[in-house]
Amino acid sequence: HTSLEPLSQRRLRTLSTKSMVEANGTSTAAARALPAIVKAVPSGDTVLVMGADSSRGPPPEKLISLTGITAPRLANRSTDDSPWAWASRDFLRRLVIGKPVTFVIEAPASTVPGGPTGGPPREFGTVYFEGLPLQQHIVAAGWARLKGVALQDEVLAPIEAASKEEGRGVWNEASAASSVRSIKWAGSFDAAGLVAAFGRQPQEAIIEHVPSGSFLRALLLPGFEQVTLSLCGTQCPPLKRGEDGVEEAAPFAREARFFVESRLLHRSVQIALQGVDKNGTLLGTVLHEQGNISLELLRVGLARVADWSSQLSDNPKELREAERQGEGGRAPPGGGGG
C-alpha cells in the first residue's frame, strides 16, 4: 500500500503544466515557492521542513499541513489509529523524508505549538515534490481525502474519483479494520524481556523522536513496540526542559541533537538492543544507511564514550578509537547523561 499504482502514476505524469495552471494556479504558486528539506513526517498530510543550509547551526523549520486534504489520524496513548493512518503516514514518509522540496505558505500560523515538545506552530500550505504538489501524490495513491474547496478542484477531484473507484488506500474499506495497529506503548512491557527476546540481533525500526543526541524514541517493527533508547557507550551533552517549558542546553547539545535528527528522524533504521540501565531505559546501537550513529557522533566531537555502558556494546574499541578521532572537537567532557 505504499506505492503509486500505474493508472494514478500515469494520471500524475500526464497532467500538463497548462492544465495545472488553469485548475489551481500551480505555476504562480511554484514561482514563489521556497526551497527546503523534509525533516519529519508527523502524519499523512503534514510535513516538517527545514532550511537547506545548516552551516551556521540548526536551520529554521516550518510545520506545514497540506491544504485541501485530510489524512487519517495516528494513535496516541488514549486513542487508536484511525483506519489506514499508519499506511498513510508511511507512504508520505517514504516518499519525501530527507528529500529536497519547495513550499508555499497559504494560511497564517496557528497560535498552537507544533507538538508537545514545543517546535514551530502549524501553518497551512502546499509542498512541491518532483514538480507536483504533494497533495496530488497523496490523493493519487489514495492516502488522503479531499476537503473544503478542494472537493471541486479540477485537478484533484478527478484523481480522487479514480482512487476511490479503484479502492485504493483509505478507500479500501474491506481491509480498514486490519490496518489499525496494536501498539505496545513504552512502560507497558518488560524492557529486559525485549532484550532477551531479540538476542542483540538488529531489528527494523523508525526513529520517532530525538530528545537529545544520545537519547531517542523509536518504534520497533513489525511488532510496534514503542521504546526509549539510550545509545550504548555514547553520551552527548544534555538538554533539559524546565517547568516553565524553556529548554536548557549544555554547550553543543543542540548541535548534537540536530546532527542525529537530520540523519535519523523518521528514517528507517536498525536497532540492536544491548541492555537496560537502572532506570529501565533500553541501551542499544542504531545503524542507518550511512553507518553507526554513535561512531559518527564521537568522530565529530559531539559525544564522549560512556564508560559504564560501553562494555555492553559490541564494539567498545571502535568507540574509543572514534572518540580519539574526535578529540579537540566540540563536546565538553562529562556533561551528564544524554
Side-chain angles (χ1 to χ4, degrees):
H1 299 292
T2 57
S3 63
L4 294 175
E5 294 291 333
L7 176 58
S8 293
Q9 182 75 35
R10 290 197 301 272
R11 285 182 181 273
L12 280 179
R13 296 311 176 194
T14 56
L15 284 172
S16 69
T17 301
K18 182 175 183 292
S19 70
M20 287 191 289
V21 172
E22 291 174 346
N24 56 13
T26 295
S27 68
T28 303
R32 66 176 191 274
L34 300 172
I37 302 292
V38 176
K39 180 180 179 181
V41 180
S43 69
D45 58 14
T46 300
V47 294
L48 179 68
V49 301
M50 64 180 182
D53 181 10
S54 58
S55 61
R56 289 173 288 182
E61 301 174 356
K62 283 187 178 292
L63 182 67
I64 304 173
S65 285
L66 300 169
T67 54
I69 66 170
T70 181
R73 299 299 95 185
L74 289 163
N76 55 39
R77 283 183 175 267
S78 59
T79 62
D80 290 336
D81 282 338
S82 296
W84 298 117
W86 174 255
S88 172
R89 185 267 189 136
D90 208 45
F91 168 80
L92 185 56
R93 182 187 70 84
R94 292 175 183 273
L95 183 68
V96 297
I97 190 70
K99 302 288 182 62
V101 295
T102 58
F103 69 92
V104 174
I105 299 300
E106 296 163 359
S110 68
T111 58
V112 180
T117 58
R122 185 181 302 271
E123 301 180 76
F124 295 87
T126 294
V127 176
Y128 297 88
F129 175 65
E130 294 185 346
L132 291 174
L134 274 182
Q135 289 94 321
Q136 291 185 22
H137 290 277
I138 296 166
V139 172
W143 292 125
R145 292 177 167 89
L146 298 182
K147 65 177 182 178
V149 297
L151 289 164
Q152 283 76 48
D153 186 277
E154 294 182 22
V155 174
L156 288 172
I159 295 175
E160 182 182 64
S163 296
K164 187 173 182 179
E165 182 181 355
E166 296 166 11
R168 303 165 57 75
V170 299
W171 307 108
N172 180 1
E173 297 179 359
S175 301
S178 63
S179 72
V180 177
R181 295 172 296 164
S182 177
I183 303 171
K184 303 172 184 67
W185 298 102
S188 68
F189 56 86
D190 177 30
L194 202 62
V195 175
F198 291 148
R200 301 171 75 94
Q201 293 300 309
Q203 305 296 312
E204 299 296 325
I206 296 173
I207 302 299
E208 294 288 2
H209 184 45
V210 183
S212 76
S214 52
F215 197 68
L216 317 172
R217 295 196 180 101
L219 196 64
L220 302 181
L221 302 174
F224 296 113
E225 295 93 356
Q226 185 202 53
V227 299
T228 299
L229 183 77
S230 181
L231 292 179
C232 193
T234 309
Q235 188 175 29
C236 290
L239 286 150
K240 298 179 180 178
R241 194 172 296 276
E243 293 183 2
D244 57 359
V246 176
E247 186 177 77
E248 300 175 8
F252 301 107
R254 290 191 177 95
E255 289 81 354
R257 178 174 62 188
F258 177 73
F259 184 90
V260 176
E261 281 183 329
S262 61
R263 288 160 175 78
L264 299 187
L265 183 60
H266 290 180
R267 309 297 179 96
S268 298
V269 300
Q270 290 192 321
I271 295 178
L273 300 179
Q274 293 155 324
V276 181
D277 71 10
K278 61 183 180 181
N279 298 316
T281 301
L282 286 160
L283 302 169
T285 297
V286 177
L287 305 173
H288 65 117
E289 59 183 11
Q290 296 180 19
N292 181 326
I293 195 65
S294 296
L295 295 176
E296 293 178 64
L297 283 163
L298 290 163
R299 286 172 183 144
V300 297
L302 286 173
R304 299 298 187 204
V305 170
D307 293 329
W308 66 274
S309 64
S310 64
Q311 297 309 308
L312 293 175
S313 74
D314 294 330
N315 58 344
K317 291 183 178 179
E318 281 187 82
L319 293 174
R320 287 294 181 191
E321 176 57 30
E323 183 182 46
R324 281 192 288 272
Q325 293 175 28
E327 285 178 357
R330 296 172 284 191

